[in-house]
Amino acid sequence: MAVGWPGNTLGSPRKSWRRCLGRETCGHLCWVCCPRDPVPDKAYVFESVGNKRTLNINKCNLSDDAAYECVIGEEKCFTEVFVKEPPVTITKLLDDVHTVVGEKVEFEVEVSEEGANVKWMKDEVELNRETAGSKYRFKKDGKRHVLIITEATKEDIGMYYAFTNGGESKAELEVEDKELEVLQSIADLTVKAAEQAVFKCEVSDEKVTGKWLKDGVEVQPSDRIKIAHFGRTHKLTIDDVKPSDAGDYTFVPEGYALSLSAKLNFLEIKIEYVPRQDPPKIHLDAGGRGNKNITVAAGNKLRFDVEVTGEPAPVVCWMKGDQVVSEAEGRVRVETRKTVSSFVIEGAERGDEGPYTITAANPVGEDKAEIFVRIVDVPNPPENVKCTSVGEDSAFITWDPPSFDGRVPVKGYLMERKKVGSSRWTKLNFDVYESTTYEGRKMIEGVLYEMRVFAVNGIGISQPSTSSKPFMPIAPTGEPTHLGVVDVTDSTCALKWRPPEKIGAGGIDGYIIEYRTEGSDQWVQANEEPVGKNQYRVKDLPGGEKMLFRVFAVNVAGRSPPATLSQAVTIREIVENPKIRVPRNLRSQLIKAVGEKVNLVIPFR
């Protein structure tokens, strides 16, 4: 900018500028005449052309906001310069957050300039480093500004705002109580002397600790008893099992009103006299496994121990259909020790399901038994997730059940939603939702969203479904206006109208035209696809009939209220268009005095 002042009169001594003490002492920034040339300055440039003196200020900043005074002899003049900060806009908006108690929460925005000031508020209370205490932390990284809540509580529920001098953004925080889910409970064990007993369970939170109890007394680790915790799995291992180890074992997660219990049965082996010649016998009921149907979750390990007796020792063979199960190392194998034949599947898969046959044979005879292995799994993802209709701040979402339920009935569904362009999915429910139709609310009109759904059964949670096509909550438009008839023939009627007065964020995709015969209540749609123009000719109408017409505006939210003709239109050929014949004496100006009678006769046909 430049500040100018007229120069001295002709013949006066040459003048130049110098800077005074500044605004800090006198309240003005002054330049006075002096006999010396100015010292060049990057911010201030002085110019003298004829009688004109100019002060140029390059690259104004907030420190240049001041009053400026020019002094020549006894003459003075001054002006003020006001410098404003450029507006800082928000380029990336806040995302809503749905979390549980104790989790870390981050609200993040991006602004248009680095180093800009961002003000944070919760509901109507400002959050800053002085008032927030240890509850909130603030982080800046270039254009990114982040509000961090270290551990969320129910008191943190509310609306959070980020303000700059050129914009604002808001997001909602929802906090629910944290629940612990049992992914795999501990099971009863029957173990023989000197064998190993392993109790194992899995919970949904890998940070949870707990303790093991035997008959109500806490189990203490030793050389023979080991307690382990890795990830979400808790494990109690007892080596060289003794009769005193039998009892009820319980795992109690710390901080939760929950316990998992199982029984350890000690199997005593009685030595009986066996004749030298004894036919083979397969004891499927050994270890309490009288049921010949075995169910195992996909990914888990199956170990089925079968006691086989006979003298001499029988030869045992396991088969699935025509295929022999090998005793070599492998995922599906057979292990043999003394009188027990163990059928093992590591990491069960769906293809392992089916009937298995065990045969025991020796010179005295043969025994045969069949078991059926049933594999259960988490369900496949739900299918065909789509938005069927939208409202001003809501949308109806439907989906199809998974094509495969994992052989365990589907309990319900979990849903997530996000804004298009965002990478953060927001959970919409923590308890399973049983229906396949969901009405989402608390959405912003004009913003694109996506939905995905998870299926839940007794085994676990499926992979997420394919995301729905983006949908936008919008309200239907208003009805079309000024509907009228343009032309009529013996089988058609041409209509014309104007767009609705209220259109809204969804715009207009086109128009639907319907008609019906006067006296009938059955409307017929004239066009299959919405028309984009504001006019349409309805064809194949019955000649001579009186017809009523109406027009709808259509967008993603559906149809608007209809614009309807007030009177029926008779469908017949117009032989001759109407014509007005203006008399010659009326084709020029007609002048009458005030108070005179005016009678105009205009023929038409």
Side-chain angles (χ1 to χ4, degrees):
M1 64 157 292
V3 179
W5 178 259
N8 56 304
T9 58
L10 185 65
S12 61
R14 184 171 72 86
K15 305 292 185 180
S16 60
W17 306 90
R18 69 177 175 84
R19 188 170 179 174
C20 77
L21 294 176
R23 193 172 184 178
E24 293 76 16
T25 57
C26 65
H28 292 76
L29 197 57
C30 308
W31 280 263
V32 300
C33 296
C34 76
R36 297 177 302 176
D37 289 327
V39 177
D41 188 279
K42 292 182 179 179
Y44 301 97
V45 178
F46 309 91
E47 294 180 0
S48 175
V49 180
N51 292 339
K52 183 179 180 181
R53 302 294 182 265
T54 304
L55 169 63
N56 294 289
I57 304 176
N58 295 324
K59 297 182 179 180
C60 285
N61 53 47
L62 293 178
S63 63
D64 295 316
D65 188 317
Y68 294 80
E69 186 174 47
C70 180
V71 180
I72 300 177
E74 298 297 323
E75 296 292 332
K76 297 181 179 180
C77 73
F78 80 94
T79 186
E80 291 185 80
V81 175
F82 300 93
V83 181
K84 296 168 60 178
E85 288 187 351
V88 177
T89 59
I90 297 177
T91 57
K92 180 182 177 183
L93 303 177
L94 294 172
D95 285 327
D96 296 338
V97 177
H98 193 162
T99 188
V100 295
V101 172
E103 291 294 320
K104 179 181 178 182
V105 177
E106 291 188 3
F107 288 104
E108 177 182 329
V109 295
E110 287 188 10
V111 297
S112 58
E113 292 185 15
E114 294 187 4
N117 290 323
V118 174
K119 182 172 76 173
W120 294 93
M121 296 187 69
K122 176 184 181 293
D123 296 327
E124 297 181 358
V125 178
E126 181 177 358
L127 305 176
N128 53 51
R129 300 183 187 276
E130 289 73 29
T131 62
S134 61
K135 180 67 177 177
Y136 303 97
R137 293 191 295 114
F138 305 87
K139 184 169 69 173
K140 292 183 180 180
D141 184 7
K143 298 180 181 180
R144 292 175 58 252
H145 292 255
V146 184
L147 170 63
I148 301 173
I149 304 175
T150 306
E151 293 184 357
T153 65
K154 286 293 191 70
E155 296 177 355
D156 298 321
I157 296 175
M159 296 298 296
Y160 288 78
Y161 300 82
F163 294 90
T164 66
N165 64 351
E168 65 177 86
S169 178
K170 67 178 181 179
E172 184 179 11
L173 174 61
E174 295 181 3
V175 183
E176 293 189 3
D177 290 327
K178 190 174 184 180
E179 296 183 358
L180 186 67
E181 181 180 357
V182 179
L183 304 180
Q184 180 183 348
S185 185
I186 57 178
D188 293 345
L189 297 176
T190 299
V191 184
K192 301 175 185 177
E195 290 187 346
Q196 184 186 74
V198 179
F199 289 105
K200 184 172 70 172
C201 65
E202 184 178 0
V203 295
S204 58
D205 190 350
E206 64 183 15
K207 297 179 181 178
V208 168
T209 60
K211 58 185 178 180
W212 292 88
L213 306 177
K214 176 182 180 294
D215 298 329
V217 179
E218 184 173 356
V219 177
Q220 299 298 328
S222 66
D223 293 339
R224 197 171 59 87
I225 301 175
K226 299 177 178 60
I227 297 176
H229 171 208
F230 44 94
R232 299 181 297 188
T233 302
H234 297 261
K235 193 173 182 181
L236 171 63
T237 304
I238 304 174
D239 295 324
D240 190 18
V241 172
K242 301 177 180 179
S244 60
D245 294 325
D248 294 321
Y249 287 81
T250 304
F251 175 72
V252 181
E254 186 174 354
Y256 293 90
L258 175 71
S259 63
L260 308 176
S261 298
K263 182 180 288 294
L264 175 61
N265 300 305
F266 182 80
L267 180 63
E268 294 185 10
I269 302 177
K270 297 181 179 179
I271 302 176
E272 298 179 355
Y273 173 75
V274 179
R276 292 181 61 85
Q277 297 293 321
D278 190 9
K281 179 65 177 176
I282 299 173
H283 304 272
L284 285 182
D285 57 347
R289 291 183 179 269
N291 192 349
K292 297 182 180 181
N293 294 323
I294 304 172
T295 300
V296 60
N300 285 1
K301 179 179 179 179
L302 167 65
R303 184 183 186 91
F304 186 72
D305 296 333
V306 177
E307 184 180 3
V308 180
T309 59
E311 183 66 30
V315 176
V316 179
C317 178
W318 288 82
M319 298 185 69
K320 181 182 182 184
D322 297 333
Q323 299 293 322
V324 176
V325 180
S326 173
E327 291 196 23
E329 289 293 328
R331 191 179 60 82
V332 181
R333 64 183 183 273
V334 174
E335 296 178 358
T336 302
R337 63 185 189 279
K338 297 182 180 180
T339 60
V340 175
S341 179
S342 300
F343 175 64
V344 179
I345 300 178
E346 296 278 1
E349 300 175 356
R350 295 180 185 177
D352 297 327
E353 182 171 283
Y356 291 80
T357 303
I358 176 174
T359 303
N362 68 4
V364 183
E366 181 180 283
D367 193 13
K368 190 174 185 180
E370 186 177 275
I371 64 171
F372 188 90
V373 176
R374 181 171 176 262
I375 307 297
V376 296
D377 198 356
V378 297
N380 286 354
E383 300 177 347
N384 196 27
V385 181
K386 62 184 178 180
C387 174
T388 57
S389 63
V390 295
E392 185 174 357
D393 63 348
S394 62
F396 278 93
I397 308 298
T398 64
W399 58 89
D400 295 333
S403 58
F404 177 71
D405 63 1
R407 302 191 184 278
V408 179
V410 173
K411 294 182 178 180
Y413 304 92
L414 301 175
M415 293 155 288
E416 292 184 345
R417 179 183 74 203
K418 77 177 183 71
K419 298 174 183 176
V420 172
S422 172
S423 60
R424 168 173 275 176
W425 288 93
T426 299
K427 290 186 178 180
L428 300 182
N429 63 313
F430 286 89
D431 297 325
V432 294
Y433 181 80
E434 297 181 358
S435 176
T436 57
T437 301
Y438 175 76
E439 182 182 10
R441 293 188 175 275
K442 295 183 180 181
M443 292 185 277
I444 304 172
E445 183 179 11
V447 174
L448 282 171
Y449 291 90
E450 292 177 295
M451 281 276 294
R452 67 181 184 184
V453 185
F454 302 77
V456 182
N457 66 4
I459 305 302
I461 303 173
S462 72
Q463 293 294 314
S465 68
T466 303
S467 299
S468 68
K469 291 183 179 179
F471 59 89
M472 178 187 297
I474 55 175
T477 69
E479 67 273 12
T481 59
H482 299 89
L483 175 62
V485 177
V486 178
D487 182 42
V488 180
T489 68
D490 57 356
S491 64
T492 68
C493 180
L495 304 174
K496 192 173 184 179
W497 60 89
R498 293 183 182 176
E501 293 181 356
K502 178 185 176 183
I503 294 179
I508 295 178
D509 295 335
Y511 300 90
I512 296 293
I513 299 91
E514 294 184 346
Y515 64 88
R516 68 176 174 87
T517 306
E518 188 177 42
S520 171
D521 59 355
Q522 187 67 37
W523 288 94
V524 179
Q525 185 169 316
N527 54 319
E528 294 183 1
E529 298 294 333
V531 296
K533 297 182 180 180
N534 294 344
Q535 58 185 11
Y536 185 79
R537 181 177 291 274
V538 183
K539 300 179 180 180
D540 299 326
L541 297 173
E545 293 288 345
K546 291 186 176 181
M547 308 297 294
L548 289 171
F549 298 89
R550 65 183 183 183
V551 180
F552 299 85
V554 181
N555 67 2
V556 177
R559 295 186 178 190
S560 71
T564 307
L565 284 179
S566 59
Q567 295 182 349
V569 178
T570 302
I571 306 304
R572 63 185 177 189
E573 184 73 36
I574 299 176
V575 178
E576 185 178 354
N577 290 328
K579 188 174 182 181
I580 298 175
R581 296 185 178 276
V582 180
R584 184 172 298 175
N585 63 323
L586 295 180
R587 296 178 185 175
S588 60
Q589 188 176 20
L590 178 64
I591 301 176
K592 291 287 186 178
V594 175
E596 290 188 44
K597 180 178 180 181
V598 178
N599 184 16
L600 302 178
V601 179
I602 303 175
F604 64 88
R605 63 184 250 182

